[in-house]
Amino acid sequence: YKKKYPLTEELSLSPSEIQVVEYLLENEEKKQIEFLYCEYGTDKKLHPKKTDKYIINPYYTVTANGRYYLICNVDKYDNIANFRVDKILEIQLIDMPQKDIRKTAGNSHGFDLSKYMKDHIYMFSGETVNAELEIDRFLIGQIIDWFGKGFNVLSESNDKCVISLKVNENALFYWTMQYSQFVKIIKPQSVADRVAHCCRKSLLDRCFVCNRA
């Protein structure tokens, strides 16, 4: 386990987050941990997503979008996963050695945390894809703010440009939905189709509301 950012009392962690951080900081022998992962119910309280605890290999704690996340591997799978620290309960160390991060999918030569954070701007787990976008030129600053400077400009005109970048598939979808008026996804087609479907559904829903009024 490695700290990407120092976690101290200055960060105003909740009691449950402090417990998680303490377990992680005490994990000098690189052991696995287990915990219940929760979601909020209509009563505004946390409830376990399932009765069985997750057994995970912890690697990093990071901050993103005002939240603290644990970057780890769920032991029975081979991919990297993210868990929000404030939704973790009943955490315990397990007397089992932690899986080397180089044994997770796509990381045999090491794990690039900076690149991972740029690819996962919303901290979604999942596949990183090669994307091409046609955007209004004024969005270049937003691209740099969200994805960094690791993109290529393929073509440009006075008011638009086409760029290519590697990004998490779900992050690309949600980012595009924020700027859908100014972004056209050239590829991957799967994300373009998702955006088009959501836009059509939103328009139909609004038309239905207007017709009922």
Side-chain angles (χ1 to χ4, degrees):
Y1 167 74
K2 299 178 182 179
K3 289 185 297 177
K4 174 58 181 173
Y5 305 105
L7 297 174
T8 67
E9 293 180 0
E10 297 177 2
L11 297 179
S12 302
L13 298 174
S14 69
S16 62
E17 290 175 303
I18 290 172
Q19 182 188 31
V20 172
V21 171
E22 286 176 346
Y23 265 93
L24 295 175
L25 295 181
E26 291 170 2
N27 193 13
E28 295 179 357
E29 298 181 2
K30 295 186 177 180
K31 301 289 188 180
Q32 293 180 342
I33 61 175
E34 65 176 8
F35 54 70
L36 291 174
Y37 194 62
C38 304
E39 58 186 358
Y40 282 101
T42 54
D43 58 359
K44 302 178 183 179
K45 296 180 180 179
L46 287 172
H47 301 273
K49 293 184 69 174
K50 61 179 186 177
T51 55
D52 295 334
K53 287 188 174 183
Y54 288 84
I55 297 175
I56 67 106
N57 301 286
Y59 301 124
Y60 295 93
T61 299
V62 299
T63 57
N65 305 315
R67 302 287 185 183
Y68 301 98
Y69 291 86
L70 173 63
I71 297 178
C72 61
N73 159 255
V74 179
D75 194 55
K76 62 182 179 179
Y77 303 115
D78 63 359
N79 62 304
I80 294 294
N82 309 314
F83 291 90
R84 267 187 39 186
V85 170
D86 60 307
K87 293 185 177 182
I88 294 174
L89 296 177
E90 297 185 19
I91 185 171
Q92 290 182 315
L93 288 171
I94 302 175
D95 192 21
M96 290 292 292
Q98 172 184 297
K99 182 190 300 180
D100 191 316
I101 197 169
R102 290 171 295 184
K103 294 183 178 179
T104 59
N107 297 306
S108 59
H109 298 293
F111 181 75
D112 188 335
L113 181 60
S114 296
K115 180 179 182 300
Y116 183 84
M117 295 298 291
K118 289 176 182 177
D119 290 349
H120 297 74
I121 56 173
Y122 295 101
M123 293 307 291
F124 290 112
S125 301
E127 182 182 0
T128 296
V129 296
N130 293 309
E132 288 187 14
L133 312 175
E134 181 185 79
I135 64 172
D136 284 19
R137 287 180 65 95
F138 78 88
L139 276 184
I140 285 292
Q142 292 296 323
I143 290 287
I144 292 172
D145 287 346
W146 284 100
F147 302 108
K149 297 181 179 180
F151 62 92
N152 296 311
V153 178
L154 304 180
S155 64
E156 56 184 310
S157 62
N158 289 335
D159 58 347
K160 292 186 182 294
C161 60
V162 176
I163 65 170
S164 66
L165 71 163
K166 289 187 176 182
V167 63
N168 175 268
E169 187 173 17
N170 288 319
L172 175 62
F173 168 73
Y174 285 104
W175 184 86
T176 302
M177 289 301 296
Q178 292 184 80
Y179 299 101
S180 57
Q181 288 179 279
F182 315 107
V183 179
K184 175 185 177 182
I185 297 177
I186 300 172
K187 68 176 187 180
Q189 188 62 45
S190 59
V191 182
D193 290 343
R194 285 175 65 190
V195 171
H197 173 76
C198 284
C199 289
R200 283 195 298 268
K201 185 177 184 302
S202 177
L203 180 61
L204 288 173
D205 288 345
R206 282 198 288 267
C207 289
F208 179 73
V209 172
C210 290
N211 288 336
R212 293 187 63 186

